[in-house]
Amino acid sequence: MHSLPDDRTARAKIRDEALRLFGERGPDAVTVRDIAAAAGVSPALVIRHYQSKDGLRQAVDEHVTAVFEAMLTRAVGTGDGDPLDQAALPTLAEAMAEFLPADSPIPSYLGRLLLAAGPVGTALFRRLHEVSKDALAALAQAGAADTGADPDVRAAFLLVNDLAVLILRPQLREVLGVDPLSGDGMQRWATETLSVYRTGLGGNTDPT
Amino acid sequence: MHSLPDDRTARAKIRDEALRLFGERGPDAVTVRDIAAAAGVSPALVIRHYQSKDGLRQAVDEHVTAVFEAMLTRAVGTGDGDPLDQAALPTLAEAMAEFLPADSPIPSYLGRLLLAAGPVGTALFRRLHEVSKDALAALAQAGAADTGADPDVRAAFLLVNDLAVLILRPQLREVLGVDPLSGDGMQRWATETLSVYRTGLGGNTDPT
DNA sequence: CACGATGATAAACAATTGTTCAGCGTGGTC
DNA sequence: GACCACGCTGAACAATTGTTTATCATCGTG
């Protein structure tokens, strides 16, 4: 990422197609020949640029992580204006919808990254848990929420609720009839989650 | 060797080892030779009994689905005593902890089944969503909860909160320092989720 | 004892996959 | 023109993997 002449043609295209295919089917189900064909190059060129398939996977990992990190800082950065409102917590999916094109392969790849065993996914998950804990603490300090008896678990609970939309996107789309990362789907999802976060599931919570 | 019921044959052992390995690494990362070695038999015998690796995978799918289905009916069956209390909803993980040994490979395999694209996982997810919807409706009818403005989405929300423990178990264990499917972990997780389900995240919910 | 039936195996086969290697075309420079 | 650096490729290689085939051992039974 330093001083290479230009990332312009074949090399970047290989990485982008790999990102897309990895996100769709998972790295194990994608062959070097698949990637080469999708990028319109020969399999040998893929290896020539990235040494190995695993090298390519690492390059995609780093690229996706970098994009996501930039997105994170921008997302929490914008929260400074009105630091804590209803939208301060479930911003992960919303940030993706805002900063990425609707057909971006990054959400899918991120979902796989978080699921796969490995240092990258683990670090990413831990990072997100920290962000979640910080957000919860900020909400609590502002009196907009309570950290609960077990702040670590509560933050993890909030986090996985957000990640579920990434990880189970195909299944949710199948069952709900709408892509949970689309505008409409996010609206419906956010409404319900915020409702629960605000007042719980409802019902006769207090016998007044 | 011979005293046990006729389920500890080589055939069953192959299936059980396949279930375990598939759950640990995913079917694509497990070779027929791996399974054969784990079961103490030859690779040829694996094929002889199940025709193909995919046939074995289907057999494991059916076995896991059957076990899970039995678990589901027993779990909702026990709910008849005191039909709806605090424990009526997030029973999925608890049912597993109750009906399965602590080191059972079934939760992991189920998690993968729900994530993988394919008819079995899709059907399973749809089935669970129905169960979740029914449970929510029952809670609502008893006045213990509200179906919300969007019952389908609310039921899906509750479902994925439960599934997250299955799907993200390694990551949660890593971050929280406790297996969320162990007794201790489930206790902590259930406490927080029920707290949120009951009253929301807390804080100054109304600006009096 | 012979003898199938049963259950299991070793060895080979064919296809796939990651990777290497020798070389080809093209464009800039002397 | 000669040359050479560079981006790229086609074909081959080696390892892995799912699967087949031909064979072996064992055991209850005539």
Side-chain angles (χ1 to χ4, degrees):
Chain A
M1 72 177 186
H2 304 88
S3 58
L4 282 178
D6 39 9
D7 225 10
R8 52 175 180 139
T9 33
R11 174 144 195 208
K13 177 149 200 182
I14 289 170
R15 190 201 50 192
D16 289 346
E17 292 298 325
L19 164 54
R20 185 178 60 84
L21 290 173
F22 285 167
E24 284 176 7
R25 313 182 210 160
D28 292 348
V30 175
T31 72
V32 173
R33 285 167 176 84
D34 288 339
I35 300 167
V41 300
S42 70
L45 193 65
V46 175
I47 301 296
R48 174 162 192 81
H49 275 310
Y50 294 96
Q51 285 77 45
S52 68
K53 183 188 179 182
D54 199 69
L56 173 56
R57 218 214 52 236
Q58 285 178 239
V60 176
D61 278 2
E62 290 173 20
H63 177 241
V64 168
T65 307
V67 169
F68 182 67
E69 206 64 38
M71 223 177 58
L72 251 191
T73 57
R74 270 214 289 176
V76 299
T78 58
D80 282 340
D82 44 350
L84 34 97
D85 210 348
Q86 60 194 26
L89 250 157
T91 14
L92 221 164
E94 291 174 7
M96 302 207 135
E98 184 175 359
F99 295 133
L100 298 175
D103 60 344
S104 170
I106 290 196
S108 298
Y109 194 90
L110 268 175
R112 290 191 188 275
L113 210 49
L114 285 165
L115 285 171
V120 185
T122 301
L124 188 54
F125 191 84
R126 174 167 279 130
R127 171 99 168 77
L128 287 176
H129 187 235
E130 293 297 327
V131 171
S132 188
K133 278 203 291 187
D134 291 349
L136 179 59
L139 281 183
Q141 190 157 9
D146 195 343
T147 60
D150 202 334
D152 282 9
V153 169
R154 177 164 286 201
F157 170 76
L158 296 172
L159 172 60
V160 302
N161 286 348
D162 219 11
L163 293 183
V165 195
L166 283 192
I167 292 172
L168 292 169
R169 171 142 82 133
Q171 286 82 347
L172 287 173
R173 178 173 45 211
E174 172 83 14
V175 164
L176 298 178
V178 59
D179 180 1
L181 281 190
S182 71
D184 194 37
M186 262 182 30
Q187 173 80 21
R188 290 175 63 186
W189 192 263
T191 299
E192 280 303 318
T193 54
L194 287 179
S195 163
V196 173
Y197 288 168
R198 207 160 357 236
T199 63
L201 283 181
N204 47 4
T205 55
D206 57 322
T208 347
Chain B
M1 181 191 305
H2 49 272
S3 57
L4 286 180
D6 54 324
D7 202 20
R8 269 303 167 263
T9 65
R11 178 166 177 153
K13 177 149 200 180
I14 290 170
R15 190 202 51 194
D16 289 346
E17 292 298 325
L19 163 54
R20 184 177 61 83
L21 290 173
F22 285 168
E24 282 176 8
R25 314 182 208 160
D28 292 348
V30 175
T31 72
V32 173
R33 285 168 175 83
D34 288 339
I35 300 167
V41 300
S42 71
L45 193 64
V46 175
I47 300 298
R48 173 163 191 82
H49 275 309
Y50 294 95
Q51 284 78 43
S52 69
K53 182 187 179 182
D54 199 69
L56 173 57
R57 219 214 50 236
Q58 285 178 239
V60 176
D61 277 2
E62 290 172 22
H63 177 240
V64 169
T65 307
V67 169
F68 182 67
E69 206 64 39
M71 224 178 56
L72 252 192
T73 57
R74 270 213 290 176
V76 299
T78 58
D80 282 340
D82 43 350
L84 34 97
D85 209 348
Q86 58 196 26
L89 250 156
T91 14
L92 220 163
E94 291 174 8
M96 303 207 136
E98 184 174 0
F99 295 133
L100 298 176
D103 60 344
S104 169
I106 289 196
S108 299
Y109 193 90
L110 268 175
R112 289 192 190 275
L113 209 49
L114 285 165
L115 285 172
V120 185
T122 302
L124 187 56
F125 192 85
R126 174 167 279 129
R127 171 99 168 75
L128 287 176
H129 187 236
E130 294 297 328
V131 170
S132 187
K133 279 203 291 186
D134 291 350
L136 180 59
L139 280 183
Q141 191 157 8
D146 195 342
T147 61
D150 202 333
D152 282 9
V153 169
R154 176 164 287 202
F157 170 76
L158 296 172
L159 173 59
V160 301
N161 286 347
D162 219 11
L163 293 182
V165 195
L166 283 193
I167 292 172
L168 292 169
R169 170 142 82 133
Q171 287 82 349
L172 287 173
R173 178 174 42 209
E174 172 83 14
V175 164
L176 298 178
V178 59
D179 181 1
L181 281 190
S182 70
D184 194 35
M186 261 181 32
Q187 173 81 19
R188 289 175 64 185
W189 192 264
T191 300
E192 280 304 319
T193 55
L194 287 178
S195 163
V196 174
Y197 289 168
R198 197 145 23 220
T199 63
L201 283 180
N204 48 2
T205 56
D206 56 321
T208 7

